[in-house]
Coordinates of all heavy atoms in Angstrom, one line a residue:
M161 N 0.8 -1.2 0.0 CA 0.0 0.0 0.0 C 0.9 1.3 0.0 O 0.5 2.2 -0.7 CB -0.9 0.0 1.2 CG -1.9 1.1 1.2 SD -3.1 0.8 -0.1 CE -4.4 1.8 0.4
E162 N 2.0 1.3 0.7 CA 2.8 2.4 0.8 C 3.5 2.7 -0.6 O 3.6 3.8 -1.0 CB 3.9 2.3 1.8 CG 4.8 3.5 2.0 CD 5.9 3.3 3.0 OE1 5.7 2.6 4.0 OE2 6.9 4.0 2.8
L163 N 3.9 1.6 -1.3 CA 4.5 1.8 -2.6 C 3.5 2.4 -3.6 O 3.8 3.3 -4.3 CB 5.0 0.4 -3.1 CG 5.6 0.4 -4.5 CD1 6.8 1.4 -4.6 CD2 6.0 -1.0 -4.9
K164 N 2.3 1.9 -3.5 CA 1.2 2.4 -4.4 C 1.1 4.0 -4.1 O 1.0 4.7 -5.1 CB -0.1 1.7 -4.1 CG -1.2 2.2 -4.9 CD -2.5 1.5 -4.6 CE -3.7 2.2 -5.4 NZ -5.0 1.7 -5.0
N165 N 1.1 4.4 -2.9 CA 0.9 5.8 -2.6 C 2.1 6.6 -3.1 O 2.0 7.7 -3.6 CB 0.8 6.0 -1.1 CG -0.6 5.5 -0.6 OD1 -1.5 5.4 -1.3 ND2 -0.7 5.2 0.7
V166 N 3.3 6.1 -2.9 CA 4.5 6.7 -3.4 C 4.4 6.9 -4.9 O 4.7 8.0 -5.4 CB 5.8 6.0 -3.0 CG1 7.0 6.5 -3.7 CG2 6.0 6.0 -1.5
V167 N 4.1 5.9 -5.6 CA 4.0 6.0 -7.1 C 2.9 7.0 -7.5 O 3.1 7.8 -8.4 CB 3.7 4.6 -7.7 CG1 3.4 4.7 -9.2 CG2 4.9 3.6 -7.4
E168 N 1.7 6.9 -6.9 CA 0.7 7.8 -7.2 C 1.1 9.3 -6.9 O 0.8 10.2 -7.7 CB -0.6 7.5 -6.4 CG -1.3 6.3 -6.9 CD -2.6 5.9 -6.1 OE1 -2.8 6.5 -5.1 OE2 -3.3 5.0 -6.6
N169 N 1.7 9.5 -5.8 CA 2.2 10.8 -5.5 C 3.2 11.3 -6.5 O 3.2 12.5 -6.9 CB 2.8 10.9 -4.1 CG 1.8 10.8 -3.0 OD1 0.6 11.1 -3.3 ND2 2.2 10.4 -1.8
W170 N 4.1 10.4 -7.0 CA 5.1 10.8 -8.0 C 4.4 11.2 -9.3 O 4.7 12.3 -9.8 CB 6.1 9.7 -8.2 CG 7.2 10.1 -9.2 CD1 8.3 10.8 -8.9 CD2 7.2 9.8 -10.6 NE1 9.0 11.0 -10.0 CE2 8.4 10.4 -11.1 CE3 6.3 9.2 -11.5 CZ2 8.7 10.3 -12.4 CZ3 6.7 9.1 -12.8 CH2 7.8 9.7 -13.3
F171 N 3.5 10.4 -9.7 CA 2.7 10.7 -11.0 C 2.0 12.1 -10.8 O 1.9 12.9 -11.7 CB 1.8 9.6 -11.4 CG 2.4 8.5 -12.1 CD1 2.5 7.2 -11.6 CD2 2.9 8.7 -13.4 CE1 3.1 6.2 -12.3 CE2 3.5 7.7 -14.1 CZ 3.6 6.5 -13.6
N172 N 1.3 12.3 -9.7 CA 0.6 13.5 -9.4 C 1.5 14.7 -9.3 O 1.0 15.8 -9.6 CB -0.2 13.4 -8.1 CG -1.4 12.4 -8.3 OD1 -1.9 12.2 -9.4 ND2 -1.8 11.8 -7.2
S173 N 2.8 14.5 -9.0 CA 3.7 15.7 -8.9 C 4.3 16.1 -10.2 O 4.9 17.1 -10.3 CB 4.8 15.3 -7.9 OG 5.7 14.4 -8.4
Q174 N 4.1 15.3 -11.2 CA 4.7 15.6 -12.5 C 3.9 16.7 -13.2 O 2.7 16.8 -13.2 CB 4.7 14.4 -13.4 CG 5.5 13.2 -12.9 CD 7.0 13.6 -12.6 OE1 7.7 14.1 -13.5 NE2 7.4 13.4 -11.4
A175 N 4.7 17.6 -13.9 CA 4.1 18.7 -14.7 C 3.4 18.2 -15.9 O 3.6 17.1 -16.4 CB 5.2 19.7 -15.1
A176 N 2.5 19.0 -16.4 CA 1.8 18.6 -17.7 C 2.7 18.3 -18.8 O 2.5 17.5 -19.7 CB 0.8 19.7 -18.0
S177 N 3.9 19.0 -18.9 CA 4.8 18.8 -19.9 C 5.4 17.4 -19.9 O 5.7 16.8 -21.0 CB 6.0 19.8 -19.9 OG 6.7 19.7 -18.6
F178 N 5.5 16.8 -18.8 CA 5.9 15.4 -18.6 C 5.0 14.5 -19.4 O 5.4 13.6 -20.2 CB 6.0 15.0 -17.2 CG 6.2 13.5 -16.9 CD1 7.5 13.0 -17.0 CD2 5.1 12.7 -16.6 CE1 7.7 11.6 -16.8 CE2 5.3 11.3 -16.4 CZ 6.6 10.8 -16.5
Y179 N 3.7 14.7 -19.3 CA 2.7 13.8 -20.0 C 2.6 14.2 -21.4 O 2.4 13.3 -22.3 CB 1.4 13.9 -19.3 CG 1.4 13.4 -17.9 CD1 1.5 14.2 -16.7 CD2 1.4 12.0 -17.7 CE1 1.5 13.7 -15.5 CE2 1.4 11.5 -16.4 CZ 1.5 12.3 -15.3 OH 1.6 11.8 -14.0
A180 N 2.7 15.4 -21.8 CA 2.7 15.9 -23.2 C 3.9 15.2 -23.9 O 3.7 14.7 -25.0 CB 2.7 17.4 -23.3
E181 N 5.1 15.3 -23.4 CA 6.2 14.7 -24.0 C 6.0 13.2 -24.2 O 6.4 12.6 -25.2 CB 7.5 15.0 -23.2 CG 8.8 14.4 -23.8 CD 9.1 14.9 -25.2 OE1 8.6 16.1 -25.5 OE2 9.7 14.2 -26.0
G182 N 5.5 12.5 -23.2 CA 5.2 11.1 -23.2 C 4.2 10.7 -24.4 O 4.4 9.8 -25.1
L183 N 3.2 11.6 -24.5 CA 2.3 11.3 -25.6 C 2.9 11.5 -27.0 O 2.6 10.8 -27.9 CB 1.0 12.2 -25.4 CG 0.1 11.9 -24.3 CD1 -1.0 12.9 -24.1 CD2 -0.5 10.5 -24.5
R184 N 3.8 12.6 -27.1 CA 4.5 12.8 -28.4 C 5.3 11.6 -28.7 O 5.4 11.1 -29.9 CB 5.3 14.0 -28.3 CG 4.5 15.3 -28.5 CD 5.4 16.5 -28.8 NE 6.1 16.9 -27.6 CZ 5.6 17.7 -26.6 NH1 4.4 18.2 -26.8 NH2 6.3 18.0 -25.6
K185 N 6.0 11.0 -27.7 CA 6.9 9.9 -27.9 C 6.0 8.7 -28.3 O 6.4 7.9 -29.2 CB 7.7 9.5 -26.7 CG 8.8 10.5 -26.4 CD 9.6 10.1 -25.2 CE 10.7 11.1 -24.9 NZ 11.4 10.8 -23.6
L186 N 4.9 8.5 -27.7 CA 4.0 7.4 -28.0 C 3.5 7.5 -29.4 O 3.5 6.5 -30.1 CB 2.8 7.4 -27.0 CG 1.7 6.3 -27.2 CD1 2.3 5.0 -27.0 CD2 0.5 6.6 -26.3
V187 N 3.1 8.7 -29.9 CA 2.7 8.8 -31.3 C 3.8 8.5 -32.3 O 3.6 7.7 -33.2 CB 2.2 10.3 -31.5 CG1 2.0 10.5 -33.0 CG2 0.9 10.6 -30.8
K188 N 5.0 8.9 -32.0 CA 6.1 8.6 -32.9 C 6.4 7.1 -32.9 O 6.6 6.5 -33.9 CB 7.4 9.3 -32.4 CG 7.4 10.7 -32.7 CD 8.7 11.4 -32.2 CE 8.7 12.9 -32.4 NZ 9.9 13.5 -31.8
R189 N 6.3 6.4 -31.7 CA 6.5 5.0 -31.7 C 5.4 4.2 -32.4 O 5.7 3.2 -33.1 CB 6.6 4.5 -30.2 CG 7.9 4.9 -29.5 CD 7.9 4.5 -28.1 NE 9.1 5.0 -27.4 CZ 9.1 5.3 -26.2 NH1 8.1 5.3 -25.4 NH2 10.3 5.8 -25.7
Y190 N 4.2 4.7 -32.3 CA 3.0 4.1 -33.0 C 3.2 4.2 -34.5 O 3.0 3.2 -35.2 CB 1.7 4.7 -32.5 CG 0.5 4.1 -33.1 CD1 0.1 2.9 -32.8 CD2 -0.2 4.8 -34.1 CE1 -1.1 2.3 -33.4 CE2 -1.3 4.3 -34.7 CZ -1.7 3.1 -34.4 OH -2.8 2.5 -35.0
E191 N 3.6 5.4 -34.9 CA 3.8 5.6 -36.4 C 4.9 4.6 -36.9 O 4.8 4.1 -38.0 CB 4.2 7.0 -36.7 CG 3.0 8.0 -36.5 CD 3.4 9.4 -36.6 OE1 4.6 9.8 -36.5 OE2 2.5 10.3 -36.7
K192 N 6.0 4.5 -36.1 CA 7.1 3.6 -36.5 C 6.6 2.1 -36.6 O 6.9 1.4 -37.5 CB 8.2 3.6 -35.5 CG 9.3 2.7 -35.8 CD 10.7 3.3 -35.7 CE 11.7 2.3 -36.0 NZ 12.6 2.7 -37.0
C193 N 5.7 1.7 -35.7 CA 5.2 0.4 -35.7 C 4.3 0.2 -37.0 O 4.4 -0.9 -37.6 CB 4.3 0.1 -34.5 SG 5.2 -0.1 -32.9
L194 N 3.6 1.2 -37.3 CA 2.7 1.1 -38.5 C 3.6 1.0 -39.8 O 3.4 0.2 -40.7 CB 1.8 2.3 -38.7 CG 0.7 2.4 -37.7 CD1 -0.1 3.7 -37.9 CD2 -0.2 1.2 -37.8
E195 N 4.7 1.7 -39.8 CA 5.6 1.7 -41.0 C 6.3 0.3 -41.1 O 6.4 -0.3 -42.2 CB 6.7 2.7 -40.8 CG 6.2 4.2 -41.0 CD 7.3 5.2 -40.6 OE1 8.5 4.8 -40.5 OE2 6.9 6.4 -40.5
V196 N 6.7 -0.2 -40.0 CA 7.3 -1.6 -40.0 C 6.3 -2.6 -40.4 O 6.6 -3.5 -41.2 CB 7.9 -1.9 -38.6 CG1 8.3 -3.3 -38.5 CG2 9.1 -1.0 -38.3
N197 N 5.1 -2.5 -39.9 CA 4.0 -3.4 -40.3 C 3.8 -3.4 -41.8 O 3.7 -4.5 -42.4 CB 2.8 -3.1 -39.5 CG 1.7 -4.2 -39.7 OD1 2.0 -5.3 -40.0 ND2 0.5 -3.8 -39.5
V198 N 3.8 -2.2 -42.4 CA 3.6 -2.1 -43.8 C 4.8 -2.7 -44.6 O 4.6 -3.5 -45.6 CB 3.4 -0.6 -44.3 CG1 3.5 -0.5 -45.8 CG2 2.0 -0.1 -43.7
L199 N 6.0 -2.5 -44.1 CA 7.2 -3.1 -44.8 C 7.1 -4.6 -44.7 O 7.5 -5.2 -45.7 CB 8.4 -2.5 -44.1 CG 8.7 -1.1 -44.4 CD1 9.9 -0.6 -43.5 CD2 9.0 -0.8 -45.8
I200 N 6.8 -5.1 -43.6 CA 6.7 -6.6 -43.4 C 5.7 -7.2 -44.4 O 5.9 -8.1 -45.1 CB 6.4 -7.0 -42.0 CG1 7.7 -6.7 -41.1 CG2 6.0 -8.4 -41.9 CD1 7.4 -6.8 -39.6
K201 N 4.5 -6.6 -44.4 CA 3.4 -7.1 -45.3 C 3.8 -7.0 -46.7 O 3.6 -7.9 -47.5 CB 2.1 -6.3 -45.0 CG 1.5 -6.7 -43.7 CD 0.1 -6.0 -43.6 CE -0.5 -6.4 -42.3 NZ -1.8 -5.8 -42.1
T202 N 4.5 -5.9 -47.1 CA 5.0 -5.7 -48.5 C 6.0 -6.8 -48.8 O 5.9 -7.4 -49.9 CB 5.6 -4.3 -48.7 OG1 4.6 -3.4 -48.4 CG2 6.0 -4.1 -50.1
K203 N 6.9 -7.0 -47.9 CA 7.9 -8.0 -48.2 C 7.3 -9.4 -48.3 O 7.7 -10.2 -49.2 CB 9.0 -8.0 -47.1 CG 10.2 -8.8 -47.4 CD 11.3 -8.5 -46.4 CE 12.6 -9.2 -46.8 NZ 13.7 -8.8 -46.0
L204 N 6.4 -9.8 -47.4 CA 5.7 -11.1 -47.4 C 4.9 -11.2 -48.7 O 4.9 -12.3 -49.3 CB 4.8 -11.3 -46.2 CG 5.6 -11.4 -44.9 CD1 4.6 -11.5 -43.7 CD2 6.5 -12.7 -44.9
S205 N 4.2 -10.1 -49.2 CA 3.5 -10.2 -50.4 C 4.4 -10.5 -51.6 O 4.0 -11.3 -52.5 CB 2.7 -8.9 -50.6 OG 1.8 -8.7 -49.6
K206 N 5.5 -9.9 -51.6 CA 6.5 -10.1 -52.7 C 7.0 -11.5 -52.7 O 7.1 -12.2 -53.8 CB 7.7 -9.2 -52.6 CG 7.4 -7.7 -52.9 CD 8.6 -6.9 -52.6 CE 8.2 -5.4 -52.7 NZ 9.4 -4.6 -52.3
R207 N 7.2 -12.1 -51.5 CA 7.7 -13.5 -51.4 C 6.6 -14.4 -51.9 O 6.8 -15.4 -52.6 CB 8.0 -13.8 -50.0 CG 9.3 -13.3 -49.6 CD 9.7 -13.8 -48.2 NE 10.9 -13.1 -47.7 CZ 11.3 -13.2 -46.5 NH1 10.6 -13.9 -45.6 NH2 12.4 -12.6 -46.1
Y208 N 5.3 -14.1 -51.6 CA 4.2 -14.9 -52.0 C 4.0 -14.9 -53.5 O 3.9 -15.9 -54.1 CB 2.9 -14.4 -51.3 CG 1.7 -15.2 -51.8 CD1 1.4 -16.4 -51.2 CD2 0.8 -14.6 -52.7 CE1 0.3 -17.1 -51.6 CE2 -0.3 -15.3 -53.1 CZ -0.6 -16.6 -52.6 OH -1.7 -17.2 -53.0
I209 N 4.1 -13.7 -54.1 CA 4.0 -13.6 -55.5 C 5.1 -14.4 -56.2 O 4.9 -15.1 -57.2 CB 4.1 -12.1 -55.9 CG1 2.8 -11.4 -55.5 CG2 4.3 -11.9 -57.4 CD1 2.8 -9.9 -55.7
N210 N 6.4 -14.2 -55.7 CA 7.5 -14.9 -56.3 C 7.3 -16.5 -56.2 O 7.6 -17.2 -57.2 CB 8.8 -14.5 -55.7 CG 9.3 -13.2 -56.1 OD1 8.9 -12.7 -57.2 ND2 10.0 -12.5 -55.3
K211 N 6.8 -17.0 -55.1 CA 6.6 -18.4 -55.0 C 5.5 -18.9 -55.9 O 5.6 -19.9 -56.5 CB 6.3 -18.8 -53.6 CG 7.4 -18.8 -52.7 CD 7.1 -19.2 -51.3 CE 8.3 -19.1 -50.4 NZ 8.0 -19.6 -49.0
K212 N 4.4 -18.1 -56.0 CA 3.3 -18.5 -56.9 C 3.6 -18.5 -58.3 O 3.1 -19.3 -59.1 CB 2.1 -17.6 -56.6 CG 1.3 -17.9 -55.4 CD 0.6 -19.2 -55.5 CE -0.6 -19.3 -54.7 NZ -1.2 -20.6 -54.8
L213 N 4.5 -17.6 -58.7 CA 4.8 -17.4 -60.1 C 6.1 -18.0 -60.6 O 6.5 -17.8 -61.7 CB 4.7 -15.9 -60.5 CG 3.4 -15.2 -60.2 CD1 3.5 -13.7 -60.5 CD2 2.3 -15.8 -61.0
A214 N 6.8 -18.7 -59.7 CA 8.1 -19.1 -60.0 C 8.2 -20.4 -60.8 O 9.2 -21.2 -60.7 CB 8.9 -19.3 -58.7
S215 N 7.3 -20.6 -61.7 CA 7.4 -21.8 -62.6 C 8.2 -21.4 -63.8 O 8.4 -20.2 -64.1 CB 6.0 -22.3 -63.0 OG 5.4 -21.4 -63.8
D216 N 8.6 -22.3 -64.6 CA 9.4 -22.0 -65.8 C 8.6 -21.1 -66.8 O 9.1 -20.3 -67.5 CB 9.8 -23.3 -66.5 CG 10.9 -24.0 -65.7 OD1 11.6 -23.3 -65.0 OD2 11.1 -25.2 -65.9
Q217 N 7.3 -21.4 -66.8 CA 6.4 -20.7 -67.8 C 6.3 -19.2 -67.4 O 6.0 -18.4 -68.2 CB 5.0 -21.3 -67.8 CG 5.1 -22.8 -68.3 CD 3.8 -23.5 -67.9 OE1 3.0 -23.0 -67.1 NE2 3.6 -24.6 -68.6
N218 N 6.4 -18.9 -66.1 CA 6.2 -17.5 -65.7 C 7.4 -16.8 -65.3 O 7.4 -15.7 -64.6 CB 5.2 -17.6 -64.5 CG 3.9 -18.1 -64.8 OD1 3.3 -17.8 -65.9 ND2 3.3 -18.9 -64.0
Q219 N 8.6 -17.2 -65.7 CA 9.8 -16.6 -65.2 C 9.9 -15.1 -65.7 O 10.4 -14.3 -65.0 CB 11.1 -17.4 -65.8 CG 11.4 -18.6 -65.0 CD 11.6 -18.3 -63.5 OE1 12.4 -17.3 -63.2 NE2 11.0 -19.0 -62.6
H220 N 9.5 -14.9 -66.9 CA 9.5 -13.5 -67.4 C 8.6 -12.6 -66.6 O 9.0 -11.5 -66.2 CB 9.0 -13.5 -68.9 CG 8.9 -12.1 -69.5 ND1 10.1 -11.3 -69.7 CD2 7.9 -11.3 -69.8 CE1 9.7 -10.2 -70.2 NE2 8.4 -10.1 -70.2
L221 N 7.4 -13.1 -66.2 CA 6.5 -12.3 -65.3 C 7.2 -12.1 -64.0 O 7.1 -11.0 -63.4 CB 5.2 -13.0 -65.2 CG 4.1 -12.3 -64.4 CD1 3.9 -11.0 -65.0 CD2 2.9 -13.2 -64.4
V222 N 7.8 -13.1 -63.4 CA 8.5 -12.9 -62.1 C 9.6 -11.9 -62.2 O 9.7 -11.0 -61.3 CB 9.1 -14.3 -61.6 CG1 10.1 -14.1 -60.5 CG2 8.0 -15.3 -61.3
H223 N 10.4 -11.9 -63.2 CA 11.4 -10.9 -63.4 C 10.8 -9.5 -63.6 O 11.3 -8.5 -63.0 CB 12.3 -11.2 -64.6 CG 13.2 -12.4 -64.4 ND1 14.2 -12.4 -63.4 CD2 13.2 -13.6 -64.9 CE1 14.8 -13.6 -63.5 NE2 14.2 -14.3 -64.3
T224 N 9.7 -9.4 -64.3 CA 9.1 -8.1 -64.4 C 8.5 -7.6 -63.1 O 8.7 -6.4 -62.8 CB 7.9 -8.2 -65.4 OG1 8.4 -8.7 -66.7 CG2 7.2 -6.9 -65.7
L225 N 7.9 -8.4 -62.3 CA 7.4 -8.0 -61.0 C 8.5 -7.6 -60.1 O 8.4 -6.7 -59.3 CB 6.6 -9.1 -60.4 CG 5.2 -9.4 -61.1 CD1 4.6 -10.6 -60.5 CD2 4.3 -8.2 -60.9
N226 N 9.6 -8.4 -60.1 CA 10.8 -8.1 -59.3 C 11.3 -6.7 -59.7 O 11.7 -5.9 -58.8 CB 11.9 -9.1 -59.4 CG 11.6 -10.3 -58.6 OD1 10.9 -10.3 -57.6 ND2 12.1 -11.5 -59.0
D227 N 11.4 -6.4 -61.0 CA 11.9 -5.1 -61.4 C 11.0 -4.0 -60.9 O 11.4 -2.9 -60.5 CB 12.0 -5.0 -62.9 CG 13.1 -5.9 -63.4 OD1 14.0 -6.3 -62.7 OD2 13.0 -6.2 -64.6
L228 N 9.7 -4.2 -60.8 CA 8.7 -3.2 -60.4 C 8.8 -3.0 -58.9 O 8.6 -1.9 -58.4 CB 7.3 -3.6 -60.8 CG 7.0 -3.5 -62.3 CD1 5.6 -4.2 -62.5 CD2 7.0 -2.1 -62.8
F229 N 8.9 -4.1 -58.1 CA 8.8 -4.0 -56.7 C 10.1 -4.0 -55.9 O 10.1 -3.6 -54.7 CB 7.9 -5.1 -56.2 CG 6.5 -5.0 -56.6 CD1 6.0 -5.9 -57.6 CD2 5.6 -4.0 -56.1 CE1 4.6 -5.8 -58.0 CE2 4.3 -3.9 -56.5 CZ 3.8 -4.8 -57.4
L230 N 11.1 -4.4 -56.5 CA 12.4 -4.5 -55.7 C 13.3 -3.3 -55.9 O 13.2 -2.6 -56.8 CB 13.1 -5.8 -56.0 CG 12.3 -7.1 -55.6 CD1 13.2 -8.3 -56.0 CD2 12.0 -7.1 -54.1

């Protein structure tokens, strides 16, 4: 119970700028997560396309898609 009070008092004693800066950092981190997620999905999509089209008959198409996306 004492630790809880100490922590609550510490949070209550922080200036508004402490929380504003924390929110700005949170937004930047969230945006970075979204960017990484898009990159991962893009990379996985390219791998899927390459696997699906990697037959001898479709090699020209695979190279064209690689040129477009890589």
Side-chain angles (χ1 to χ4, degrees):
M161 187 70 163
E162 184 180 331
L163 177 61
K164 180 182 174 190
N165 289 338
V166 169
V167 171
E168 285 179 353
N169 288 338
W170 183 82
F171 277 114
N172 290 334
S173 71
Q174 298 304 304
S177 60
F178 171 80
Y179 295 101
E181 180 62 26
L183 288 173
R184 280 192 289 275
K185 288 179 181 178
L186 179 63
V187 169
K188 288 179 184 177
R189 289 178 183 147
Y190 180 73
E191 288 172 347
K192 176 133 179 129
C193 287
L194 291 177
E195 289 171 12
V196 168
N197 189 22
V198 168
L199 290 173
I200 289 171
K201 286 183 178 181
T202 301
K203 191 170 189 174
L204 291 175
S205 295
K206 289 176 191 175
R207 285 184 186 169
Y208 177 79
I209 289 169
N210 284 335
K211 283 183 181 180
K212 280 294 208 186
L213 300 176
S215 69
D216 290 337
Q217 298 164 343
N218 295 321
Q219 282 301 314
H220 178 69
L221 184 55
V222 169
H223 291 292
T224 301
L225 288 172
N226 281 334
D227 290 340
L228 289 172
F229 292 109
L230 296 179

